[in-house]
């Protein structure tokens, strides 16, 4: 028992030491202004729900008469949203300005601000449509593909504090806060307003984003992290691959279960993606693979991001592009793009992961720290104050233990993974999990103990743990993954009859499994060894049907 207690302390202490505490204390509702569309009743409902949840003062809710669709013209944006909002900030005293010439031009500069965050609610337009007739001096020096003035409303409002400087509207603005490690630097007095939105396919989904955020801040953001790479080793798209790969390395080092796919395609339809805390991948145009399923196994507070040029082109659609479907399936936060941003104008997943998961930045701080440009195509969806990693791992573990929360299983798992990451022997960690009471009733911990038994050469014990985990599993993706792991382990041990039983049950429970051909081939090998002649014949027919090429219709 002494060794296990030592490992518990060691693992959590390491997590605390490896967590860089952000230099800015967590904000509250007093630092937020909420904007809603007064022409859309549901927009005000979302605003009021957020204000109540985050204790935003009533006079910091601003209703404006805006277009009712997702798009608005540049003129509508300037006259109906941008300039009235700037005036409201100054009149209310949220921005205090003075004339300043440090930029080389005499203009009003924000010298004091009580507000750091701007929340745009469901009903507020998402994108500013292109204005072909807009002519600006200086754009002739931009690359031809960047001489565009369409933009995300959110990204265009991040530079509200420097409105008086009248930056170019065509092309992106370099984000001087890109890669910033000091969260306090994100402040209107430095020229940036942290903008995010509560939005999605329905007002109810938009309201739920803050509810999920608060739940995860209370209990922690737990689960598995998934990174969908494309196996790119060189060329113009390697930057995106490197960003996502960097994110995966950060979560692994933080002791979070990390699953990486390096195949060119996205995760397959029936990939057993269970208990999702974080997803980052690319590059299908519409939600695909596990995210196209009727139900997705998102954990409370989950963050999901898919890199595609038009991922937020139809933010309020539950079926088109990525942002809407991810929110409809249960993600609490995401980032998307309303028009073509080009790869260099998208989210740096490595920076976002480091700031959000490692340094305890809020969602909006992490997202804008990871954005190479402003005044471009990015929209951040979720509660900007969302900060699930404000508490250190030790504090959170103690809180979960005190509440007898079932989520403590994930904290125990993190202890094991952190110790594995620093080279602690698997034999010591099996002892730890054997003595943790929660292991007996946790599919998560039983599965991990099975992995450890396998690593130390105890295959029979590993099988017992996988069986127990399968019996305790609550979600279909979790059961699918455990079933295949158990079957593989049994086959490796020559236990053909037991493996056949597991594979048969798998086939009945998951008849539409995308990799059914692979399963059938595995079952055929087992059936042949067990001399199940009828099953062999049946499986060969199924395999032949699946292998038969689909006829191409005549042109």
């Amino acid at each position: 028992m002494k060794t296990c207690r030592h490992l518990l302390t060691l693992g959590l202490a390491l997590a605390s030491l490896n967590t860089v505490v952000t230099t800015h204390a967590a904000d509250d509702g007093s630092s937020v202004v909420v904007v809603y569309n007064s022409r859309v009743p549901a927009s005000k409902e979302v605003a009021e729900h957020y204000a109540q949840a985050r204790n935003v003062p009533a006079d910091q809710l601003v209703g404006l008469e805006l277009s009712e669709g997702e798009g608005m013209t540049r003129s509508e944006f300037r006259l109906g949203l941008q300039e009235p909002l700037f005036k409201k900030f100054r009149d209310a005293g949220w921005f205090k300005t003075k004339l300043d010439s440090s930029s080389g031009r005499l203009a009003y500069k924000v010298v004091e601000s009580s507000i750091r965050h701007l929340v745009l609610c469901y009903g507020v337009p998402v994108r500013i449509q292109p204005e072909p007739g807009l002519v600006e001096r200086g754009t002739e020096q931009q690359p031809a593909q960047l001489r565009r003035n369409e933009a995300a409303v959110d990204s265009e409002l991040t530079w509200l504090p420097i409105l008086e400087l009248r930056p170019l509207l065509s092309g992106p603005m370099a984000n001087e806060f890109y890669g910033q490690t000091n969260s306090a630097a994100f402040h209107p007095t430095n020229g940036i307003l942290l903008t995010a939105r509560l939005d999605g396919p329905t007002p109810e989904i938009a309201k739920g984003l803050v509810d999920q955020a608060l739940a995860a801040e209370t209990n922690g953001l737990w689960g598995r992290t998934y990174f969908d790479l494309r196996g790119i080793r060189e060329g113009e798209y390697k930057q995106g691959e490197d960003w996502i790969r960097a994110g995966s390395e950060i979560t692994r080092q933080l002791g979070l279960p990390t699953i990486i796919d390096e195949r060119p395609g996205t995760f397959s339809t029936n990939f057993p993606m269970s208990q999702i805390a974080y997803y980052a991948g690319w590059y299908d145009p519409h939600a695909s693979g596990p995210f196209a399923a009727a139900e997705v196994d998102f954990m409370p507070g989950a963050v999901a991001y898919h890199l595609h040029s038009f991922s937020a082109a139809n933010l309020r659609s539950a079926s088109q592009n990525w942002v809407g479907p991810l929110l409809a399936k249960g993600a609490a936060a995401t980032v998307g793009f309303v028009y073509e941003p080009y790869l260099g104008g998208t989210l740096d997943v490595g920076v976002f992961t480091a700031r959000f998961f490692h340094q305890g930045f809020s969602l909006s701080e992490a997202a804008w720290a990871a954005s190479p440009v402003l005044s471009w195509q990015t929209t951040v969806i979720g509660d900007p104050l969302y900060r699930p990693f404000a508490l250190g791992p030790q504090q959170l573990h103690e809180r979960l233990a005190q509440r007898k929360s079932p989520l403590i299983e994930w904290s125990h798992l993190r202890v094991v993974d952190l110790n594995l990451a620093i080279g602690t022997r698997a034999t010591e960690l099996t002892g730890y999990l054997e003595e943790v009471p929660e292991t007996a009733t946790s599919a998560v911990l039983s599965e991990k103990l099975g992995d450890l038994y396998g690593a130390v050469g105890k295959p029979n014990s590993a099988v017992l743990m996988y069986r127990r985990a399968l019996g305790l599993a609550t979600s279909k993706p979790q059961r699918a993954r455990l079933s295949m792991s158990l079957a593989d382990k049994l086959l490796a041990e020559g236990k053909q009859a037991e493996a056949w039983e597991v594979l048969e049950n798998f086939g009945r429970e998951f008849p539409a499994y995308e990799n059914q051909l692979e399963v059938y081939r595995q079952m055929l090998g087992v059936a042949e060894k067990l001399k199940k002649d009828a099953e062999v014949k049946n499986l060969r027919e199924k395999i032949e049907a699946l292998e038969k090429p689909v006829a191409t219709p005549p042109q």
Side-chain angles (χ1 to χ4, degrees):
M1 191 68 171
K2 180 179 179 181
T3 301
C4 294
R5 285 176 178 166
H6 171 69
L7 285 168
L8 173 62
T9 304
L10 175 62
L12 292 171
L14 281 168
S16 298
L17 287 171
N18 287 333
T19 299
V20 179
V21 179
T22 179
T23 56
H24 181 82
D27 287 327
D28 58 27
S30 65
S31 67
V32 179
V33 164
V34 183
V35 175
Y36 62 90
N37 189 344
S38 57
R39 290 179 175 172
V40 179
S43 185
K44 185 177 182 182
E45 292 174 11
V46 173
E48 290 174 340
H49 179 80
Y50 182 77
Q52 182 177 17
R54 284 294 189 185
N55 296 315
V56 178
D59 62 357
Q60 290 176 202
L61 272 66
V62 179
L64 298 171
E65 290 190 4
L66 304 168
S67 303
E68 295 185 37
E70 289 193 48
M72 65 194 315
T73 66
R74 174 63 67 176
S75 177
E76 287 172 329
F77 170 74
R78 180 171 58 83
L79 299 176
L81 177 54
Q82 186 185 45
E83 292 183 353
L85 194 58
F86 184 77
K87 183 177 185 300
K88 175 67 175 178
F89 267 70
R90 287 209 303 190
D91 291 349
W94 302 329
F95 280 176
K96 293 183 180 178
T97 62
K98 73 173 184 179
L99 282 170
D100 180 81
S101 60
S102 60
S103 66
R105 296 170 52 189
L106 187 63
Y108 283 99
K109 172 183 171 60
V110 176
V111 292
E112 289 184 42
S113 178
S114 58
I115 302 298
R116 292 181 76 230
H117 303 273
L118 182 67
V119 175
L120 306 176
C121 294
Y122 175 92
V124 173
V126 181
R127 58 183 180 270
I128 303 167
Q129 298 158 350
E131 187 175 327
L134 179 65
V135 178
E136 298 178 285
R137 292 181 60 184
T139 59
E140 64 276 359
Q141 299 178 10
Q142 294 177 330
Q145 66 268 31
L146 299 182
R147 294 175 199 163
R148 299 158 37 206
N149 55 64
E150 66 266 33
V153 169
D154 308 33
S155 188
E156 209 74 317
L157 288 175
T158 57
W159 55 268
L160 189 70
I162 61 169
L163 178 63
E164 292 283 342
L165 293 177
R166 301 294 174 187
L168 285 176
L169 300 178
S170 296
M173 175 193 301
N175 179 13
E176 63 183 83
F177 303 93
Y178 173 47
Q180 177 62 249
T181 57
N182 176 12
S183 62
F186 295 92
H187 199 275
T189 55
N190 291 327
I192 188 169
L193 182 63
L194 293 165
T195 305
R197 66 172 52 236
L198 301 174
D199 215 324
T202 68
E204 289 70 31
I205 288 171
K207 291 177 186 177
L209 301 183
V210 63
D211 300 334
Q212 283 207 62
L214 289 168
E217 286 176 0
T218 299
N219 300 311
L221 173 56
W222 299 106
R224 305 180 190 279
T225 65
Y226 295 86
F227 296 87
D228 198 353
L229 298 164
R230 298 168 67 190
I232 298 172
R233 302 297 178 187
E234 58 185 9
E236 60 180 325
Y237 294 119
K238 184 175 181 295
Q239 181 183 47
E241 191 87 346
D242 290 345
W243 284 349
I244 297 174
R245 187 181 302 279
S248 71
E249 183 59 22
I250 290 165
T251 61
R252 188 191 67 80
Q253 290 179 0
L254 291 175
L256 302 175
T258 301
I259 297 91
I260 302 170
D261 180 11
E262 298 204 42
R263 294 172 299 176
T266 51
F267 281 111
S268 63
T269 301
N270 292 106
F271 180 85
M273 190 176 284
S274 68
Q275 301 150 309
I276 308 163
Y278 185 40
Y279 162 78
W282 62 335
Y283 191 77
D284 282 352
H286 301 285
S288 62
F291 300 105
E295 294 183 8
V296 179
D297 196 13
F298 280 122
M299 296 290 280
V303 179
Y305 166 74
H306 188 87
L307 195 170
H308 187 269
S309 297
F310 300 95
S311 57
N314 296 281
L315 192 153
R316 293 178 193 139
S317 168
S319 59
Q320 293 182 291
N321 306 107
W322 278 88
V323 166
L326 288 173
L327 296 169
K329 297 296 173 61
T334 186
V335 174
F337 311 99
V338 299
Y339 293 107
E340 173 63 72
Y342 303 106
L343 180 58
T346 64
L347 189 79
D348 184 331
V349 174
V351 172
F352 176 82
T353 308
R355 302 298 177 271
F356 188 69
F357 285 84
H358 184 45
Q359 292 179 258
F361 277 32
S362 72
L363 173 67
S364 58
E365 290 167 348
W368 293 114
S371 299
V373 295
L374 305 177
S375 187
W376 200 226
Q377 314 306 337
T378 300
T379 178
V380 179
I381 303 95
D383 177 3
L385 301 184
Y386 179 32
R387 193 189 299 263
F389 298 100
L391 285 180
Q394 182 78 52
Q395 292 172 290
L396 187 53
H397 185 93
E398 291 170 356
R399 174 186 285 187
L400 294 173
Q402 184 177 19
R403 294 177 177 173
K404 301 187 185 305
S405 170
L407 288 171
I408 201 169
E409 63 183 357
W410 293 100
S411 188
H412 286 302
L413 179 63
R414 189 177 189 189
V415 171
V416 173
D417 285 336
L418 275 169
N419 278 284
L420 285 172
I422 63 167
T424 303
R425 291 181 301 171
T427 50
E428 292 183 72
L429 296 169
T430 57
Y432 170 60
L433 284 183
E434 285 168 348
E435 296 189 22
V436 167
E438 289 83 3
T439 303
T441 56
S442 166
V444 169
L445 297 180
S446 294
E447 178 183 0
K448 190 64 181 183
L449 185 53
D451 293 342
L452 292 173
Y453 280 144
V456 300
K458 294 183 176 181
N460 291 333
S461 296
V463 166
L464 287 173
M465 288 302 102
Y466 290 144
R467 285 194 183 280
R468 185 168 77 184
L470 184 57
L472 293 167
T474 56
S475 74
K476 278 199 167 186
Q478 188 183 21
R479 289 183 57 79
R481 188 187 67 255
L482 286 166
S483 294
M484 297 309 295
S485 296
L486 177 58
D488 288 342
K489 184 64 69 176
L490 289 167
L491 289 171
E493 292 303 303
K495 298 180 179 180
Q496 309 295 333
E498 293 179 52
W500 173 262
E501 182 182 353
V502 172
L503 290 169
E504 254 195 332
N505 289 335
F506 180 87
R508 283 192 292 267
E509 188 170 359
F510 304 99
Y513 186 65
E514 188 177 89
N515 295 326
Q516 197 67 273
L517 180 60
E518 179 185 323
V519 176
Y520 285 155
R521 286 171 176 160
Q522 192 174 34
M523 291 180 72
L524 176 62
V526 178
E528 288 173 337
K529 289 182 179 180
L530 294 175
K531 302 187 183 308
K532 292 179 176 287
D533 296 337
E535 286 82 355
V536 167
K537 181 176 182 296
N538 184 39
L539 285 166
R540 283 177 175 166
E541 290 174 354
K542 289 180 177 180
I543 291 170
E544 184 179 349
L546 288 171
E547 289 179 331
K548 188 176 182 180
V550 178
T552 304
Q555 300 295 317

